[in-house]
Amino acid sequence: MKKLYFLTLLMFFLTGLAFGQTGKISGKVIDAGSGQVLVNATLLLIEKTKTELADQNGNFSFARLAPGTYSVRCSYTGYNEKIIEEIIVKDNENTTINISLEVKKALEGVVITTKTSAKKETIASLLVAQKNYAGVSDGISAEAIRKTPDRTTGDAIKRVSGASIQDDRFAIIRGLNDRYNAAFINGAPLPSTESDRKAFAFDIFPAAILDNLIIYKTATPDKTGEFAGGIIDITTKSILPKSFTSVTVGQSYNTLITGKTRFFSENKGNKDWIGIDDGTRGIPAALPPSLAGLTFAERADLAKLFKNYKWGIQQEKAKPNFNFQFSKGFNIEKKGKEFIGALFALNYNRTFSFSTGQRNTYDFDANQAVELVQRGKYTDSVYNEEIVVALLGNISIKLNSKNSLSWKNNLSINTDNRLIKRIGAPDYSADSLFLYNDKVRWYTSNQIFSSQLGGEHLLGSKKTRINWLGSYSKVEREIPNLSRTSYSGSLASGFSAFFPSGQPNPLVGSGTMLFTKTTENIKSGKAELTQPYLFMKNSQNFKAGIGYQVRDRDFTTRLLGLSPYSNSGVPFDFSLLGLPEDQIFLPQHYGKMANGSGGFFLAEGIITNSNYKASSALLHGYLMNEQRFFNKFRLIYGARIERFNQELNTTDNGTAPPIKIDSSVTDILPSVNFVYALTNKINLRLSYAQTVNRPEFRELAPYLFFDYQAQYSISGDIALKRAKIKNYDFRFEFFPGKAQLFSVSAFYKEFKNPIEIVFLPGITNQATYSNAGSAEIYGAEAEFRTLLSTIAGMKKEDGFLSKLTLSANAALIKSKVKLGQVGFFDASRLITDRALQGQSPYLINGSLGYNDEKIGLSATASVNRVGDRIFIAGIKDESADIYEKARTVVDFQLTKLFFKNVLEVKFTAKDILAQRINFYSDFDLSKSFTARDKYFSSFAAPKIFSFSATLKF
């Protein structure tokens, strides 16, 4: 096997050498005033007297160039010419030059030719692209991601202004929780990855496959109308301008678990190493779909079908985390021009993690003078092995300068193999010596496949642009067996297995096994037409589009359990209850045992309305006009219409009447964005838009799921309504040059029927989704990115301070909920005068980066902090709001290039402060942690140090 790896790497290295004798120049031509691409602009490679025309996207390229220094002359009718000098071409490298042309303003018939260097021109063009976007947006590029210790897309989102991540995977934009954000990949919608929330887990996608990540914060008619915080648009790496091969190998050290003893379930399948359960944990194929009507003896025989399932746990020294990435890009030319490009990538991560901490519950008392009484007190140890496998395959065909096709595919597999060890007192106030000792085996698998086929076409002399995209996504989320063993007793007298009376209970007891599976498909298609035209001698754009999206979901669950067998004169053998986990459920202990006593039989529990099928259909269309006046004013306005139908049907399991939901609603969503170019470097923006936020399937489904780790249950609400939002934005942005930026934004949002997670009155630790009456949010954001040489007033471009970039962004946000009638219970039961559930009061991101291209050395230190936010809204006189406490995360990365950028070595330190992850009950309603408040949970966080090496050729 090692020889095979060596020969494979050698083959790719030799292939790289074969391609490494020539270089390439490529780029894009745009209008310096509007940022629009200039189709058919003429480019002359002066030294070779070779001419090319920019394609329908303004792109051009000169291939197969010997190493050296070149110059390019760029011209376009009605614009001044520009000569780009000092373009350095190296072996097997692509030099990117983006060119911006000025509209001719001199005497009619006179063309002015200017000269500039390649470095200055690329920076200038980047500035043009940034300041000419229609709405308010922030993003991060692949190059910026490479300079951070970010491993997943979730990590990268934290670097964007006004954004943060919850639970290492869910996006929070402008303080609004994940359900108020929309997620797209390459322009196609992403489904929810969670069975119990409207959210996408961004840790599924490795940061290495990203080309860029943009968060749109204001609406335009050509974007989805379903969001309030932001639209997160992930663009995966596409066609690179040259063939290449890249191999990365890395390891990391987790201070809490690496080299220390880790515990894990004995259940291991042959495909666990790639994140796929091979059936080891699942329901045996021979098990009937229902146990109803079967005798105890027959059920005892069926229990033996689980003979291969292991209830014990193993232990070993935890190995370092491992990461491997391989990518290969191809660029095939036809008659010296780009024709077919392809990119294939594989990313594999195996990560061991561990957290330990306390979970507590208290009796609520509104009297400030009364000392709170603690009820539950538990110590949890959570061991997890995470496998991430990501495959990417993108192919693009450039038919000619006016037509291109692309096919982009992604397959992501993300698996958590958790073991939870818990010991503690269920009623600490009464008897702190009576304990439960539980172990939970919780394996979760996510598989996401996404495929998009799209085309870009330029038609006729009027330069009509048509873009179309068809996409298909599939999500399979499965818990093949969430099993638990539970022992009760004391440290002094010992423990015995505990079994609830009657049917298996998902909340308590030994021998329970919960199986769930979610299968969801999304099919969508859209087409857009863009028509440029002239008005008052300024270039304008009219845009129209139509699209259709269909979703369908099938959710199934089954609760089984092993219960004591006592039937027809066969007494249960109580000595079995004293056996440890790895012995109590052995096959010989099922049914009537050899000693004549009873062992265990298979029982089935019923969870009301636990299975459902759901679907939705969304038809949308929009009209949008972008107009420019006097080279200073831009007005982007229009409306989007969305017709939405949603259906959900539960399966009748005999415990409650089935539920059928079928609703349709049409929304007309206008928006207007006004941009005033105060100077050629300063923009003022005003925006107004109406958007919506619709219930997710899970939020409607009445299925009750108990989250063992978080210690609460959650169910849906069939009466949920869509939320309607009015959005107002103002932004001042200044682009000083040299990729520097300063911006200040203010925003206000007005919600009708916002959807929240709240505790149910009268039921301990059970939450649901519900509409509040209304809410309002207002806040401000500030962001800057600057070179320290600029702050110091230095003009020298190659000094030490010119290599240091300081960037920071912060958001201050205030929200208030007006409850009104909330779902099916009286709003007066809820705590008033509070923030919107999940909304953060502030966010802070900052970084200091050093980059010296000459010696190939770069370093970045970054910090992230998010304010306290409500995790679950509380109930008056019953439970307090549960808050997630603020914590500060500091990361560091050091990168060094060797052998003419062929080898990259990277060291990262993540979460250096390792502050504890705390959730607290806000008993005094102060909205912050005080002496009276108590921790709901408090867990240790690890420091993670990693080292990786990347070979590029």
Side-chain angles (χ1 to χ4, degrees):
M1 184 63 70
K2 290 182 178 180
K3 290 182 179 180
L4 178 60
Y5 289 155
F6 175 77
L7 291 174
T8 301
L9 291 177
L10 179 61
M11 178 189 69
F12 282 121
F13 182 69
L14 293 176
T15 302
L17 289 178
F19 280 100
Q21 306 306 311
T22 60
K24 186 176 184 179
I25 298 173
S26 66
K28 178 177 288 190
V29 184
I30 59 176
D31 182 316
S34 67
Q36 297 175 10
V37 300
L38 298 179
V39 180
N40 290 336
T42 302
L43 298 113
L44 171 66
L45 186 64
I46 296 175
E47 287 76 9
K48 296 288 186 180
T49 63
K50 185 177 181 181
T51 301
E52 293 286 350
L53 294 179
D55 67 13
Q56 80 270 22
N57 294 313
N59 295 322
F60 69 91
S61 66
F62 294 98
R64 301 178 185 177
L65 301 178
T69 302
Y70 295 85
S71 302
V72 170
R73 179 192 296 270
C74 183
S75 60
Y76 191 76
T77 303
Y79 288 75
N80 290 318
E81 287 185 347
K82 184 175 286 188
I83 297 176
I84 317 301
E85 300 176 324
E86 301 175 22
I87 306 173
I88 300 173
V89 175
K90 299 179 181 180
D91 280 345
N92 196 34
E93 289 191 14
N94 174 69
T95 302
T96 301
I97 304 296
N98 292 323
I99 303 172
S100 56
L101 297 183
E102 298 277 355
V103 175
K104 183 176 58 179
K105 296 180 181 179
L107 296 175
E108 186 175 357
V110 178
V111 174
I112 297 176
T113 301
T114 59
K115 294 184 179 181
T116 184
S117 69
K119 182 176 181 180
K120 290 181 180 179
E121 181 63 17
T122 297
I123 292 173
S125 299
L126 177 63
L127 170 65
V128 171
Q130 283 181 301
K131 75 176 185 177
N132 279 283
Y133 176 66
V136 175
S137 67
D138 293 287
I140 186 169
S141 66
E143 179 65 17
I145 292 171
R146 191 181 65 82
K147 295 177 181 178
T148 69
D150 299 338
R151 183 175 62 86
T152 70
T153 301
D155 295 330
I157 288 176
K158 292 189 299 185
R159 314 296 174 191
V160 180
S161 175
S164 66
I165 286 293
Q166 188 177 48
D167 299 335
D168 288 328
R169 59 184 65 189
F170 304 119
I172 309 293
I173 309 298
R174 285 184 162 177
L176 289 164
N177 67 28
D178 42 36
R179 72 161 340 282
Y180 287 106
N181 304 311
F184 287 75
I185 182 169
N186 301 319
L190 282 167
S192 172
T193 58
E194 307 305 298
S195 295
D196 294 290
R197 63 196 295 179
K198 183 178 182 177
F200 185 84
F202 286 97
D203 62 337
I204 288 176
F205 292 132
I209 72 170
L210 298 185
D211 184 61
N212 62 66
L213 185 152
I214 298 176
I215 298 178
Y216 300 100
K217 297 178 181 177
T218 60
T220 52
D222 58 338
K223 298 288 189 297
T224 178
E226 188 178 5
F227 80 100
I231 301 171
I232 303 165
D233 193 359
I234 300 168
T235 302
T236 59
K237 289 182 178 178
S238 187
I239 309 309
L240 297 184
K242 66 184 183 70
S243 298
F244 76 99
T245 302
S246 175
V247 179
T248 299
V249 178
Q251 287 191 321
S252 62
Y253 175 85
N254 181 314
T255 55
L256 292 182
I257 192 63
T258 305
K260 300 178 176 63
T261 300
R262 79 175 186 101
F263 294 86
F264 56 95
S265 168
E266 287 187 1
N267 295 290
K268 283 284 187 179
N270 294 327
K271 298 180 181 178
D272 274 18
W273 68 278
I274 56 171
I276 297 175
D277 177 63
D278 63 357
T280 299
R281 302 169 180 83
I283 297 176
L287 193 72
S290 173
L291 304 185
L294 299 180
T295 65
F296 279 19
E298 289 172 328
R299 295 186 183 188
D301 288 336
L302 291 176
K304 296 176 183 178
L305 295 175
F306 290 89
K307 61 183 178 181
N308 294 326
Y309 189 76
K310 306 293 193 303
W311 290 85
I313 60 174
Q314 295 177 312
Q315 65 182 67
E316 67 178 11
K317 295 292 184 183
K319 302 179 181 67
N321 300 331
F322 175 74
N323 167 246
F324 173 79
Q325 297 176 18
F326 174 82
S327 55
K328 180 69 178 175
F330 299 91
N331 195 309
I332 301 173
E333 296 179 351
K334 183 179 181 181
K335 296 181 180 180
K337 296 184 178 181
E338 291 182 353
F339 178 49
I340 297 177
L343 174 66
F344 303 97
L346 164 67
N347 186 83
Y348 178 85
N349 282 293
R350 186 185 186 194
T351 305
F352 299 104
S353 61
F354 169 70
S355 60
T356 183
Q358 307 297 318
R359 292 196 180 275
N360 309 289
T361 57
Y362 294 84
D363 286 346
F364 182 86
D365 198 313
N367 188 340
Q368 299 290 310
V370 175
E371 182 66 25
L372 296 171
V373 176
Q374 182 166 10
R375 286 298 177 188
K377 182 178 182 180
Y378 300 95
T379 298
D380 282 8
S381 297
V382 183
Y383 300 85
N384 189 39
E385 178 183 352
E386 181 184 24
I387 300 292
V388 175
V389 180
L391 297 171
L392 178 148
N394 293 342
I395 298 176
S396 178
I397 301 176
K398 194 170 183 178
L399 301 175
N400 51 48
S401 63
K402 295 184 178 182
N403 298 277
S404 62
L405 301 173
S406 65
W407 185 29
K408 297 183 177 182
N409 302 274
N410 298 276
L411 173 64
S412 294
I413 300 173
N414 180 284
T415 297
D416 285 320
N417 190 4
R418 276 180 286 181
L419 174 73
I420 304 172
K421 298 172 64 179
R422 171 174 294 165
I423 186 167
D427 193 348
Y428 189 77
S429 62
D431 185 0
S432 61
L433 298 179
F434 180 79
L435 305 174
Y436 278 114
N437 188 350
D438 293 356
K439 293 183 179 64
V440 171
R441 303 144 196 86
W442 190 345
Y443 184 95
T444 304
S445 174
N446 276 301
Q447 296 183 39
I448 298 180
F449 172 71
S450 175
S451 181
Q452 298 102 27
L453 179 64
E456 298 180 352
H457 310 279
L458 194 66
L459 306 176
S461 59
K462 295 184 178 181
K463 299 177 183 178
T464 303
R465 183 182 299 273
I466 295 178
N467 294 346
W468 57 270
L469 179 70
S471 68
Y472 170 74
S473 297
K474 183 175 183 178
V475 175
E476 288 190 352
R477 176 181 171 87
E478 184 175 13
I479 302 176
N481 195 335
L482 196 166
S483 64
R484 178 171 67 247
T485 51
S486 181
Y487 287 73
S488 60
S490 67
L491 297 175
S493 60
F495 293 87
S496 60
F498 168 72
F499 291 87
S501 59
Q503 66 181 21
N505 191 322
L507 305 180
V508 294
S510 279
T512 59
M513 297 178 287
L514 179 67
F515 308 84
T516 71
K517 185 172 183 178
T518 305
T519 302
E520 183 167 339
N521 297 277
I522 299 181
K523 302 170 185 175
S524 66
K526 65 179 181 179
E528 299 176 330
L529 179 147
T530 304
Q531 180 62 62
Y533 65 97
L534 288 177
F535 178 72
M536 297 177 62
K537 297 183 180 181
N538 288 297
S539 178
Q540 321 288 333
N541 268 320
F542 171 76
K543 196 172 184 179
I546 190 169
Y548 189 65
Q549 175 188 307
V550 178
R551 291 177 59 192
D552 63 82
R553 173 183 286 193
D554 187 3
F555 178 80
T556 59
T557 183
R558 193 171 187 185
L559 176 63
L560 300 172
L562 297 169
S563 296
Y565 180 88
S566 178
N567 185 47
S568 302
V570 180
F572 175 69
D573 188 345
F574 285 92
S575 67
L576 295 176
L577 302 183
L579 296 177
E581 292 93 345
D582 59 344
Q583 298 179 32
I584 186 172
F585 296 127
L586 293 174
Q588 57 265 35
H589 295 158
Y590 295 147
K592 184 176 181 180
M593 300 187 296
N595 63 4
S597 298
F600 299 98
F601 74 102
L602 189 65
E604 184 159 15
I606 303 298
I607 303 175
T608 303
N609 291 318
S610 57
N611 299 336
Y612 65 87
K613 292 182 181 294
S615 64
S616 67
L618 174 65
L619 175 65
H620 78 260
Y622 71 86
L623 297 175
M624 171 178 163
N625 200 24
E626 180 179 356
Q627 290 187 287
R628 296 173 181 271
F629 305 92
F630 312 112
N631 296 319
K632 288 285 187 179
F633 301 95
R634 294 172 64 205
L635 192 62
I636 304 97
Y637 60 93
R640 184 180 183 92
I641 183 169
E642 295 189 348
R643 172 70 175 175
F644 183 73
N645 171 261
Q646 190 171 43
E647 298 181 15
L648 187 144
N649 299 295
T650 63
T651 303
D652 186 0
N653 57 13
T655 60
I659 292 173
K660 296 183 180 296
I661 299 174
D662 188 348
S663 65
S664 296
V665 64
T666 300
D667 291 296
I668 298 176
L669 307 171
S671 65
V672 58
N673 288 267
F674 173 75
V675 185
Y676 172 51
L678 192 62
T679 70
N680 63 346
K681 293 184 177 181
I682 297 176
N683 279 341
L684 297 179
R685 296 179 182 269
L686 289 173
S687 174
Y688 167 78
Q690 292 184 18
T691 58
V692 296
N693 185 243
R694 302 182 180 97
E696 180 58 51
F697 295 138
R698 174 61 184 103
E699 296 170 339
L700 293 167
Y703 164 61
L704 182 69
F705 176 75
F706 175 65
D707 187 326
Y708 182 87
Q709 190 169 347
Q711 279 291 285
Y712 72 91
S713 300
I714 189 165
S715 62
D717 177 5
I718 61 174
L720 276 185
K721 307 173 184 177
R722 79 189 188 289
K724 301 182 72 174
I725 309 106
K726 294 181 179 179
N727 307 270
Y728 305 84
D729 282 83
F730 167 78
R731 182 162 177 150
F732 168 88
E733 52 192 20
F734 173 45
F735 302 91
K738 298 180 181 179
Q740 299 175 105
L741 166 69
F742 174 75
S743 70
V744 177
S745 304
F747 58 89
Y748 174 77
K749 296 178 182 291
E750 190 177 300
F751 289 76
K752 182 180 179 181
N753 300 321
I755 299 173
E756 301 184 291
I757 301 177
V758 300
F759 280 120
L760 278 168
I763 306 177
T764 303
N765 290 336
Q766 183 171 328
T768 188
Y769 304 93
S770 193
N771 291 113
S774 63
E776 59 180 9
I777 295 177
Y778 54 92
E781 295 175 322
E783 179 181 15
F784 73 87
R785 181 173 63 248
T786 185
L787 298 174
L788 291 191
S789 58
T790 300
I791 297 177
M794 298 175 59
K795 295 183 179 180
K796 189 176 180 181
E797 294 188 2
D798 58 353
F800 175 75
L801 292 182
S802 67
K803 300 178 177 68
L804 289 171
T805 301
L806 179 65
S807 62
N809 61 75
L812 186 64
I813 307 158
K814 176 73 173 178
S815 71
K816 186 174 181 179
V817 173
K818 299 176 184 178
L819 296 173
Q821 180 67 29
V822 181
F824 50 82
F825 57 86
D826 187 355
S828 64
R829 300 298 305 276
L830 292 178
I831 297 171
T832 58
D833 188 29
R834 61 167 173 82
L836 188 68
Q837 180 265 324
Q839 184 267 319
S840 301
Y842 67 85
L843 305 95
I844 300 172
N845 293 297
S847 69
L848 177 63
Y850 172 82
N851 185 31
D852 190 328
E853 295 181 357
K854 291 183 178 179
I855 64 174
L857 180 67
S858 64
T860 305
S862 57
V863 61
N864 171 265
R865 183 175 175 85
V866 180
D868 296 11
R869 52 195 173 196
I870 296 178
F871 179 58
I872 303 176
I875 301 295
K876 274 186 178 180
D877 304 323
E878 291 186 23
S879 62
D881 292 331
I882 304 296
Y883 274 82
E884 179 183 358
K885 199 172 186 294
R887 63 190 300 266
T888 302
V889 178
V890 176
D891 302 324
F892 173 78
Q893 176 169 293
L894 179 67
T895 303
K896 181 69 175 75
L897 299 173
F898 298 93
F899 310 120
K900 297 182 179 181
N901 300 345
V902 171
L903 176 65
E904 178 186 83
V905 177
K906 183 184 297 183
F907 168 78
T908 65
K910 189 174 180 181
D911 202 358
I912 297 172
L913 300 181
Q915 296 181 346
R916 294 185 70 85
I917 302 170
N918 297 318
F919 290 79
Y920 64 90
S921 297
D922 184 29
F923 287 108
D924 62 359
L925 307 181
S926 65
K927 306 180 185 66
S928 62
F929 187 74
T930 63
R932 180 170 166 78
D933 296 331
K934 302 295 183 181
Y935 282 125
F936 174 74
S937 65
S938 179
F939 281 79
K943 303 174 185 178
I944 299 176
F945 302 97
S946 62
F947 176 86
S948 67
T950 301
L951 186 64
K952 301 177 181 179
F953 44 88

